[in-house]
Amino acid sequence: MPSPLWRAVAPLPTPALWLCVNTLGELRCTQLNTAAQQLLPEFATTEPLSQQLSPRHLVILSQALSQGVALDALRFFTARQRWLQLSLSPQAGGCGLALLSDISDLQSPPSDLADAHWLEILNWLPVGLEVDRENFQTLLLNRKFVELFGYTDADLPTLDEWWLHCYPDVAYRNTARAAWETAIAEARLYNIDMAPQEWRVRCKNGEYRDIQFHYRAIGDRHVHVYLDVSEQRRLEEELRQQATTDALTGLLTRRHFFEQGALRLQQAQRQRHPLCVLMLDLDHFKRINDRHGHAAGDLALQHAASLLREGLRMPDLLARLGGEEFVLLLEHTDVEQAQQLAERLRQHLHQHPCPLPDGKALRLTASFGVARIQEGDSLDSLLSRADKAMYHAKELGRNRVMVELAASGGMEG
Ligand SMILES: Nc1nc2c(ncn2[C@@H]2O[C@H](COP(=O)(O)OP(=O)(O)OP(=O)(O)O)[C@@H](O)[C@H]2O)c(=O)[nH]1
């Protein structure tokens, strides 16, 4: 029913006025004065407005009506290619009185910048740019976009092609699409920038690139900006590798071992599961360097590292502590099992000499020390007992395994 206010303002020839209401979860327009009918002939008073307004505008208007708050300067683009600006004031009974003005002239680009210049400017940008219509049909892909991905408008007629071509892995595609759609919906609802997202995208030539996605709805356009961060991510990964992996042997570095080892030790203490460390030092390594040269010494270190790696389960932490000294952290392993493993590794090393470029082979041996976790241990205290056991093995003639005796602090071989 028209309100008294509407009855008073409806006959006025201007401004354009529009009365709307939210019924059964749908926004409807109940009255349009003559000026509003001229601006919006496609708005019927009987149908919900879901065909005429974008989902974002529907949500904004519905929320304003249900909360009884006023809206100012909401802009939208009509089917008759006009920009309208809407202000809404809530009325009794959940109605809203909207005042409309045609601002198309204000929304037009400045006349001194011809369309061709806009395109040139967008093509010059060093970032990929895509502008879509309300229904995600592509309006513009700039030159950098085509350079980045290799795809043109013809390859990507709809959004579905984008997802299919760029994300061949179904699980990854579903994850990326769900995250992207959620973030876009939020950005549109609150009229804000989407929080940037990063995904690995397959380009037309089959290469993968790490792309940072930016998005904002501007008017009824979707604007996407794509930054290629592949080189940055590659360098970060290289630095991470350098920090965690020993360049000569490919084993973990001392630093990474201490970081990871401390975490695993705490976990073992919390969950009360057995844990051991095993330290080993190659015997008479100085002699190898002196007799065969430093390069042969390096080969021997690489050979020893790969023999150790061969003898292990995946989750064990194996690191080069420095020089010719190695360490292994064994989770869920009691001291008997650790001793057996150390003995197996000792024999494996002994039985597989390191081939040298001159055709000779170097027989390697190592001395091993094993220690088990004790109440109140830190990684340092545990390693220091394994180190003691290892030096005891050296004193007793090398090429052997010694285990610390928990209660007495003595050793057993
Ligand atoms: N080739 C090569 N040698 C290294 C490297 N790091 C340390 N070394 C050498 O390893 C040798 C270790 O010698 P020592 O600590 O005296 O021990 P060792 O000769 O193995 O004697 P024991 O441990 O008592 O059996 C030194 O000569 C170091 O220069 C490396 O990365 N490459």
Side-chain angles (χ1 to χ4, degrees), residues 11-77:
L12 300 174
T14 180
L17 294 168
W18 175 43
L19 202 64
C20 57
V21 67
N22 215 354
T23 48
L24 301 173
E26 285 186 312
L27 192 72
R28 285 166 200 276
C29 152
T30 53
Q31 302 288 337
L32 293 152
N33 72 356
T34 315
Q37 281 168 24
Q38 278 165 6
L39 278 178
L40 295 164
E42 69 274 21
F43 276 37
T45 50
T46 47
E47 296 296 318
L49 289 174
S50 47
Q51 294 301 311
Q52 282 80 26
L53 290 174
S54 71
R56 182 169 74 92
H57 288 118
L58 284 172
V59 171
I60 293 173
L61 283 168
S62 302
Q63 279 186 350
L65 283 178
S66 61
Q67 292 164 8
V69 293
L71 276 179
D72 195 28
L74 184 71
R75 292 172 182 199
F76 64 99
F77 199 58

Side-chain angles (χ1 to χ4, degrees), residues 246 248-249 281-290 293-301 320 322-325 365-367 390-391 394-395 398:
D246 172 51
L248 181 68
T249 60
D281 187 277
L282 298 181
D283 296 329
H284 299 304
F285 197 70
K286 189 170 175 323
R287 270 193 223 160
I288 295 177
N289 274 336
D290 292 348
H294 200 82
D298 282 356
L299 277 180
L301 287 170
R320 183 182 175 205
E324 78 293 17
E325 196 172 64
T365 65
S367 302
M390 185 183 78
Y391 275 94
K394 293 266 182 195
E395 280 163 14
R398 300 181 172 78

Side-chain angles (χ1 to χ4, degrees), residues 115-408:
D115 280 359
H117 288 140
W118 279 114
L119 212 60
E120 218 174 290
I121 292 167
L122 300 180
N123 275 332
W124 170 80
L125 293 177
V127 294
L129 175 79
E130 175 185 345
V131 182
D132 300 335
R133 290 199 172 85
E134 180 73 41
N135 61 359
F136 284 103
Q137 242 184 3
T138 308
L139 263 180
L140 173 111
L141 301 176
N142 76 343
R143 189 159 38 229
K144 185 67 184 175
F145 178 100
V146 180
E147 270 171 34
L148 263 185
F149 299 110
Y151 301 114
T152 60
D153 301 17
D155 300 310
L156 308 170
T158 70
L159 202 54
D160 287 339
E161 274 80 13
W162 161 266
W163 291 109
L164 282 173
H165 289 309
C166 297
Y167 302 84
D169 181 89
V170 181
Y172 189 70
R173 182 195 312 150
N174 291 342
T175 309
R177 190 166 189 167
W180 183 82
E181 284 177 352
T182 308
I184 280 210
E186 192 180 278
R188 298 184 71 197
L189 181 59
Y190 298 108
N191 200 20
I192 52 171
D193 285 6
M194 178 184 83
Q197 298 194 353
E198 207 171 301
W199 301 100
R200 181 156 275 220
V201 173
R202 189 179 65 172
C203 305
K204 195 171 179 181
N205 64 4
E207 256 179 48
Y208 280 81
R209 287 179 191 263
D210 293 308
I211 301 292
Q212 203 175 77
F213 289 71
H214 295 254
Y215 166 88
R216 186 170 184 115
I218 298 179
D220 64 347
R221 300 292 189 247
H222 302 283
V223 182
H224 311 262
V225 170
Y226 303 97
L227 299 185
D228 184 5
V229 291
S230 313
E231 183 59 11
Q232 204 175 322
R233 296 294 167 261
R234 194 190 62 72
L235 287 171
E236 282 165 8
E237 176 58 22
E238 206 175 291
L239 284 176
R240 203 186 59 76
Q241 282 281 337
Q242 280 172 14
T244 58
T245 314
D246 172 51
L248 181 68
T249 60
L251 301 185
L252 299 180
T253 55
R254 175 190 185 90
R255 187 175 143 195
H256 192 60
F257 175 83
F258 271 86
E259 281 169 15
Q260 286 297 310
L263 293 176
R264 297 196 190 188
L265 184 85
Q266 282 168 10
Q267 198 175 29
Q269 284 164 331
R270 265 200 315 273
Q271 296 172 356
R272 304 201 155 272
H273 63 67
L275 178 145
C276 288
V277 291
L278 188 164
M279 283 177 76
L280 67 128
D281 187 277
L282 298 181
D283 296 329
H284 299 304
F285 197 70
K286 189 170 175 323
R287 270 193 223 160
I288 295 177
N289 274 336
D290 292 348
R291 285 185 192 162
H292 304 277
H294 200 82
D298 282 356
L299 277 180
L301 287 170
Q302 288 170 329
H303 182 72
S306 66
L307 289 177
L308 292 173
R309 217 188 272 119
E310 271 170 26
L312 296 179
R313 303 165 301 193
M314 276 307 283
D316 297 324
L317 277 185
L318 171 61
R320 183 182 175 205
L321 276 185
E324 78 293 17
E325 196 172 64
F326 300 89
V327 65
L328 236 170
L329 184 133
L330 303 160
E331 289 176 282
H332 300 281
T333 307
D334 62 30
V335 76
E336 288 78 23
Q337 292 167 315
Q339 186 174 15
Q340 281 166 18
L341 173 68
E343 186 54 35
R344 217 175 54 234
L345 292 174
R346 187 192 68 75
Q347 289 178 20
H348 195 50
L349 210 59
H350 192 231
Q351 287 159 5
H352 294 87
C354 169
L356 293 179
D358 62 6
K360 291 183 190 146
L362 271 178
R363 190 170 291 284
L364 299 172
T365 65
S367 302
F368 291 72
V370 176
R372 79 206 80 187
I373 190 172
Q374 286 178 19
E375 195 73 30
D377 248 336
S378 65
L379 191 58
D380 279 338
S381 60
L382 182 60
L383 283 172
S384 132
R385 292 201 307 279
D387 193 50
K388 233 189 224 163
M390 185 183 78
Y391 275 94
H392 197 55
K394 293 266 182 195
E395 280 163 14
L396 291 177
R398 300 181 172 78
N399 189 22
R400 69 191 60 220
V401 175
M402 291 302 292
V403 179
E404 54 127 13
L405 279 177
S408 65

